[in-house]
Amino acid sequence: MLILSCPVCGVTAEETEFQGGGEAHLKRFGPGASEDDFEGYLFMRENPRGVHFERWRHAYGCGKWFHAARCTTTLEVFGIYSAQTTEPPKDLRDKISEKRPNWAWREFE
Amino acid sequence: MSEPITALGGASADNGIATLAEAPLQGMITLRGDLTASAVKKAATSASGTAMPDQGMVTAEKDRALCWMSPDELLLLCPYDAVGETLDRMHKVLAKSHALAVNVSDARAMFRVSGVGGREVMAKLSPVDLAPDQFTPGMFRRTRLAQVPAAFWMPEEEAFHIICFRSQAQYVFDLLTVAAQPGSSVGVYQE
Ligand SMILES: [Zn+2]
């Protein structure tokens, strides 16, 4: 069972109280972008076995969005962090490195 | 004038492991805004007569209460007949603020679950840790009951008050009835 803690209201609950919002930190490519960039933005997604970064919404609770870093095989949640950021915080990346040395995810490692 | 009635006309059931009852008409006002702004705090506390609730908590005084819904939302409970006058007072305090106070009384339904089996009935329906030392009177929790959103708190030991959308009142009452049916006690919280 995936157990998440909402950083906005402090509630810890299993995933059915939340709603998955897909992959985190997508960079938008809009009008004027190359076709490759636009295709990547629209369709290309990570599908890792291991460290993953996602957006979640506390749908049945406070209703707010946040980010979560978790392991897709063990469902361990490495950390949660604010929705108002474009990259995982440094201290969280360090924490993941301690548990999963040499992890890499998109441009982060 | 039309006569205000509750969603289920005061449905109740007491043959199971907990006593279920639809609550009488309850005044509810949603207040959205910056909960750290002084005008918003003043509107909430002066209209309710209670202190501001901490995160995830409810404060109550006589027949009024303030429930913490999210970092930018409170729910004020007051007598059904007092909503108009209470809202007028809040709007005066909030006149120069970016905030919203709205009467949602008729958009909601409210239930009371009481008795020793109450904790178990709630635990069967929501993903909340309802162990007696984990969920206590004074706490306020927005979550789901089976498939619909709901919020609940404990006005006292062995009693829960539940708020849900009015359109889902029958579904919630049916859920509670099944969760409380005779002979369904699991005994997980009894020492
Ligand atoms: Zn939350």
Side-chain angles (χ1 to χ4, degrees):
Chain A
M1 186 182 288
L2 178 59
I3 296 178
L4 293 165
S5 296
C6 173
V8 181
C9 71
V11 157
T12 297
E14 42 98 350
E15 66 182 291
T16 62
E17 195 173 297
F18 301 85
Q19 185 180 47
E23 187 172 319
H25 309 305
L26 294 179
K27 183 159 183 273
R28 182 175 182 274
F29 289 92
S34 73
E35 288 189 356
D36 282 350
D37 282 346
F38 190 61
E39 182 205 21
Y41 161 61
L42 269 190
F43 301 114
M44 306 312 269
R45 294 294 180 266
E46 298 298 302
N47 185 20
R49 189 175 67 188
V51 177
H52 196 27
F53 296 86
E54 292 169 313
R55 300 161 73 232
W56 283 86
R57 190 171 87 92
H58 196 186
Y60 286 107
C62 66
K64 306 300 185 196
W65 286 94
F66 59 93
H67 280 122
R70 69 173 178 106
C71 175
T72 57
T73 43
T74 63
L75 300 192
E76 175 181 5
V77 176
F78 302 116
I80 49 173
Y81 52 104
S82 166
Q84 280 73 37
T85 182
T86 54
E87 58 176 43
K90 176 82 170 65
D91 59 336
L92 175 60
R93 294 191 328 245
D94 291 345
K95 194 175 149 197
I96 297 172
S97 295
E98 278 170 30
K99 295 181 168 177
R100 303 283 191 280
N102 304 320
W103 68 276
W105 187 89
R106 288 199 180 253
E107 71 267 38
F108 305 114
E109 54 184 28
Chain B
M1 269 303 277
S2 52
E3 175 81 12
I5 55 169
T6 61
L8 306 181
S12 66
D14 61 359
N15 62 335
I17 63 170
T19 303
L20 316 176
E22 188 191 12
L25 289 168
Q26 170 70 54
M28 301 184 202
I29 295 170
T30 283
L31 173 61
R32 288 203 88 139
D34 177 358
L35 299 190
T36 59
S38 57
V40 173
K41 282 197 271 192
K42 187 166 172 244
T45 54
S46 63
S48 63
T50 72
M52 285 288 281
D54 289 333
Q55 173 175 307
M57 304 296 279
V58 51
T59 53
E61 198 68 58
K62 298 196 197 89
D63 52 5
R64 295 182 183 231
L66 273 185
C67 314
W68 192 92
M69 299 286 276
S70 83
D72 55 6
E73 183 177 348
L74 291 176
L75 182 69
L76 187 152
L77 305 178
C78 67
Y80 188 84
D81 298 333
V83 169
E85 172 262 335
T86 306
L87 210 43
D88 286 346
R89 269 196 287 149
M90 292 172 77
H91 282 148
K92 280 202 186 86
V93 181
L94 293 170
K96 289 184 180 144
S97 302
H98 180 63
L100 189 73
V102 177
N103 177 5
V104 295
S105 313
D106 298 318
R108 306 277 167 84
M110 191 164 130
F111 297 96
R112 181 182 167 90
V113 176
S114 55
V116 278
R119 271 188 192 276
E120 224 175 87
V121 170
M122 299 306 292
K124 286 177 187 178
L125 298 172
S126 64
V128 177
D129 187 349
L130 282 151
D133 59 343
Q134 292 298 308
F135 197 85
T136 53
M139 295 170 77
F140 185 88
R141 178 66 187 254
R142 286 175 79 180
T143 181
R144 65 179 175 88
L145 292 182
Q147 301 186 41
V148 297
F152 60 76
W153 72 102
M154 297 179 76
E156 69 246 3
E157 288 291 345
E158 295 195 353
F160 289 84
H161 282 182
I162 303 164
I163 293 174
C164 67
F165 290 117
R166 183 179 177 116
S167 59
Q168 294 165 342
Q170 186 66 57
Y171 175 82
V172 169
F173 187 73
D174 290 347
L175 283 181
L176 294 170
T177 308
V178 172
Q181 66 185 283
S184 70
S185 175
V186 180
V188 66
Y189 297 131
Q190 282 147 27
E191 332 44 292

